[in-house]
Amino acid sequence: MSEQPLPPVLVTRRLAPGVIERLTARHAVTQHDSDLPMARGELLAAVRGRSAVITTLDDVVDGAFLDAAGPGLRIVANHAVGHHNVDLAACAERGVLVSNTPGVLTAATADMAWALLLAATRRLGEGERLLRSGQPWAWAPNFLLGLELTGTPLGVLGMGRIGQAVARRARGFDMPVSYHNRRELPPEQAEGAEWLPLEELLARSTVLVVTCPLGPGTRHLLDARRLALLPPGAVVVSMTAGVVDEQALAAALESGALFAAAVDNFEREPAVPSALLAQERAVLAPHLGSATVRTRQAMGGLAVENVLAVLAGGAPVTPVAPVTA
């Protein structure tokens, strides 16, 4: 009696060290051995006949992707907490399960939000660029003055796991915290923060950290009109691509309405708007929110666990709820 062939799995990007071995020990795996995403045509060719695919946010999983994979595809395991790159209705229509990697990147992403916040308020980017330029400088009472965070009102837009972790870290700075979600959280999840309607939150937030997920209802939620509701000289930290209108953010910095801003995710990565690049008070990071060894290993490990569970006949460990067309 011949052995059944192992279900073929595609991994669209090089994973963190020590992750892929658990998958290759049990399945026939093809890994795109690069830190760069696959070209669309290459991806559609590579997905053909696969039983499972580990994707990243750069991989668009739509009807064409699913048709190219064929009827044997059982799970798309997204190596991210978000899943705006996946057409959930198309997956549900074809019986393809979808998973993501929530929870394991919470601490690293909240830490990064605070790193960006501190860099923006204390003008660290400007200071480092000045030193590296070789220009003469001297300490002076008015030299590169920043904002002090202690006691400053903090607003959190999106009080999920990451938003809650951001709010917890604010206790060390004695910052009053408010937040906005579609629904008010129970007190045990709110970290002592007060729920406010969106426009009231903006009016109160000298510092605003954006962590809400991107979706149809949040794309460009912070447009020019809403950014203008922030107090004069406010600081915006964006951890989610597409929620803040990047051109409007650059314009608010250019006009002086905002003191500073920091952005970790961009709408059209790896492209960064030239208007933002031109702003001295913009701290820009290349999507580093979850970029620690421990966190990326945990994310990759969770994606692998989801694939192993489904190909063994079970349910995903961290499923994304299906939607219908």
Side-chain angles (χ1 to χ4, degrees):
M1 185 176 185
S2 62
E3 294 184 5
Q4 292 294 316
L6 296 173
V9 178
L10 174 66
V11 180
T12 67
R13 200 78 68 89
R14 186 186 294 142
L15 299 182
V19 172
I20 196 70
E21 289 77 8
R22 291 199 61 231
L23 194 57
T24 56
R26 297 166 65 176
H27 294 287
V29 178
T30 300
Q31 179 178 233
H32 178 56
D33 192 22
S34 173
D35 290 329
L36 297 175
M38 302 174 77
R40 178 66 170 175
E42 183 184 8
L43 176 63
L44 294 184
V47 76
R48 187 171 294 115
R50 304 292 174 174
S51 298
V53 185
I54 294 179
T55 53
T56 68
L57 288 174
D58 293 302
D59 304 316
V60 176
V61 179
D62 55 8
F65 176 103
L66 298 168
D67 290 342
L73 183 63
R74 296 165 62 184
I75 179 171
V76 171
N78 217 34
H79 188 288
V81 67
H83 45 78
H84 58 266
N85 59 309
V86 180
D87 185 334
L88 298 179
C91 288
E93 184 179 279
R94 293 164 173 80
V96 176
L97 299 170
V98 179
S99 66
N100 63 345
T101 60
V104 294
L105 48 69
T106 298
T109 306
D111 288 350
M112 184 64 183
W114 275 94
L116 291 173
L117 178 54
L118 287 163
T121 55
R122 297 306 297 270
R123 302 176 67 178
L124 297 184
E126 293 173 79
E128 184 180 27
R129 286 191 293 274
L130 175 63
L131 292 179
R132 291 183 182 277
S133 74
Q135 297 180 56
W137 66 278
W139 183 94
N142 292 314
F143 180 58
L144 283 178
L145 297 184
L147 299 181
E148 197 162 322
L149 287 179
T150 300
T152 299
L154 168 66
V156 179
L157 179 55
M159 198 68 159
R161 291 185 180 96
I162 295 169
Q164 291 169 38
V166 168
R168 279 196 298 277
R169 285 154 174 75
R171 294 172 188 163
F173 292 86
D174 297 322
M175 300 173 77
V177 182
S178 306
Y179 74 96
H180 178 77
N181 264 8
R182 286 175 297 177
R183 291 178 292 275
E184 186 173 356
L185 296 176
E188 62 272 15
Q189 294 181 24
E191 301 295 340
E194 178 186 7
W195 182 90
L196 293 175
L198 176 57
E199 298 197 351
E200 188 175 341
L201 175 81
L202 297 176
R204 190 183 294 191
S205 301
T206 304
V207 173
L208 180 72
V209 178
V210 180
T211 62
C212 64
L214 176 64
T218 60
R219 182 172 293 279
H220 288 187
L221 181 65
L222 293 187
D223 54 12
R225 182 186 72 81
R226 287 200 173 103
L227 287 172
L229 298 176
L230 291 161
V235 176
V236 174
V237 176
S238 174
M239 302 301 293
T240 308
V243 176
V244 181
D245 182 327
E246 294 169 356
Q247 296 295 335
L249 185 66
L253 288 167
E254 179 69 27
S255 71
L258 295 178
F259 179 83
V263 183
D264 185 49
N265 293 356
F266 299 91
E267 285 192 64
R268 295 176 178 85
E269 292 182 357
V272 178
S274 58
L276 273 178
L277 290 170
Q279 298 303 316
E280 276 293 295
R281 299 271 183 103
V283 178
L284 308 174
H287 206 148
L288 297 178
S290 62
T292 69
V293 173
R294 182 169 65 184
T295 294
R296 291 288 170 81
Q297 287 177 329
M299 291 173 69
L302 188 50
V304 166
E305 286 294 333
N306 278 292
V307 168
L308 292 175
V310 170
L311 295 187
V317 179
T318 52
V320 175
V323 299
T324 55

